[in-house]
């Protein structure tokens, strides 16, 4: 019994030590984030289809990430700015992720149960969206 308890404690210690830290940028204040709604249906053989409204969100790779309270980009070319983001913890406190103008900038339009993604809109190419759960988080 003692050996089994020791093994459980040892395994928990390994899991805790090897679990990476999670960091996230601050929410930007320049552009409000308004998620487009989308009507989706869940269908089963016994109940038929039940519709509900959910939202979509644009991938952060297509958004502006800048220094909090300023307009300098946190991402420079194809890597993080070494002066603003020397490490993940500093970067998460220094940078803000802005909301997106879905239709005008990215060509993302919604109507009922249809979502249209414009591939080329002005100087932007492509977009990637995710369907959010019902809590809109």
């Amino acid at each position: 019994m003692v050996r089994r308890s020791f093994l459980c404690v040892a395994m928990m210690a390994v899991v805790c030590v090897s679990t990476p830290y999670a960091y996230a940028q601050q929410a930007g204040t320049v552009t409000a984030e308004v998620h487009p709604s989308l009507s989706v249906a869940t269908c089963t053989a016994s109940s038929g289809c039940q519709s509900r409204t959910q939202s979509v969100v644009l991938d952060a790779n297509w958004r502006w990430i800048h220094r909090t309270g300023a307009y300098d980009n946190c991402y420079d070319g194809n890597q993080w700015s070494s002066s603003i983001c020397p490490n993940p913890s500093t970067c998460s406190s220094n940078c803000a992720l802005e909301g997106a103008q879905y239709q005008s900038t990215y060509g993302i339009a919604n109507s009922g149960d249809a979502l249209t993604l414009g591939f080329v809109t002005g100087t932007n190419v492509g977009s990637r969206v995710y369907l959010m759960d019902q809590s809109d988080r």
Side-chain angles (χ1 to χ4, degrees):
M1 182 70 160
V2 172
R3 182 180 170 149
R4 179 177 279 166
S5 296
F6 174 76
L7 287 174
C8 287
V9 170
M11 287 179 9
M12 289 297 289
V14 168
V15 168
C16 289
V17 170
S18 64
T19 303
Y21 293 97
Y23 300 102
Q25 283 81 26
Q26 307 299 310
T29 58
V30 176
T31 304
E33 175 63 16
V34 179
H35 302 133
S37 61
L38 184 66
S39 178
V40 296
T42 302
C43 303
T44 64
S46 60
S47 303
C49 295
Q50 305 296 318
S51 292
R52 67 179 179 276
T53 301
Q54 288 182 235
S55 299
V56 296
V57 63
L58 182 66
D59 189 306
N61 283 342
W62 273 264
R63 295 168 181 260
W64 182 35
I65 301 175
H66 61 89
R67 184 189 305 257
T68 307
Y71 289 92
D72 333 16
N73 289 321
C74 289
Y75 203 73
D76 185 22
N78 63 354
Q79 56 189 312
W80 293 103
S81 166
S82 59
S83 62
I84 302 171
C85 295
N87 59 60
S89 177
T90 303
C91 191
S92 68
S93 62
N94 284 349
C95 296
L97 177 69
E98 285 300 329
Q101 295 183 353
Y102 284 80
Q103 183 150 6
S104 62
T105 303
Y106 300 99
I108 300 169
N110 61 320
S111 178
D113 64 354
L115 185 69
T116 303
L117 303 177
F119 185 68
V120 178
T121 308
T123 59
N124 289 300
V125 177
S127 60
R128 178 171 48 217
V129 295
Y130 299 99
L131 182 64
M132 300 179 74
D133 69 9
Q134 292 177 336
S135 69
D136 202 34
R137 297 242 172 229

